Structures are given as structure tokens and as C-alpha cells.
Amino acid sequence: MPTYEFNCTKCDNRFEVRVPMAGKEQVRCPQCESQELREIFAANISKSRGTDSPCATDSCPSKRFGFG
């Protein structure tokens, strides 16, 4: 089951929830019970090891955005 991260637009609570994709529309804020939510999409960046990896150099996209 995937984990989704949301931000409540009513009380500004940020939280994660594990729910089936079809159940995302029924998610409520655990703090205020509102359904006025904004889904937060985070970059899923994994660090690679090795010198032939693009992340072994300064040209790695994750390094340009401060993740490496």
C-alpha cells in the first residue's frame, strides 16, 4: 500500500497516510478532520555509489537541488 503525504489547507497540518490509491479521496486530516487537503509530491532520490554513476560527480541532479 503506498504512503501519501498531505498538507491540510484548513489547519496547516502536514501528515502521511498509508492508503490504497483508490482511497486517497476519503483521507481526512487527523488533526481537524477536514478533507481540504493538498497532496505533497516529494522527489524520491536514492544515492548511488560508484564512480561511474552520474551522482558521483558534481553534475548529479540531486546535488544541484541540495540533496547530495
Side-chain angles (χ1 to χ4, degrees), residues 44-64:
N44 187 5
I45 298 173
S46 62
K47 292 184 179 181
S48 298
R49 293 186 181 149
T51 56
D52 58 343
S53 166
C55 286
T57 67
D58 287 334
S59 65
C60 178
S62 63
K63 286 185 180 180
R64 286 197 306 261

Side-chain angles (χ1 to χ4, degrees), residues 22-53:
K24 283 194 327 183
E25 302 302 319
Q26 284 76 38
V27 173
R28 293 180 177 269
C29 174
Q31 187 168 301
C32 73
E33 296 294 317
S34 173
Q35 283 187 299
E36 297 175 33
L37 307 175
R38 182 177 56 91
E39 187 174 353
I40 299 169
F41 296 98
N44 187 5
I45 298 173
S46 62
K47 292 184 179 181
S48 298
R49 293 186 181 149
T51 56
D52 58 343
S53 166

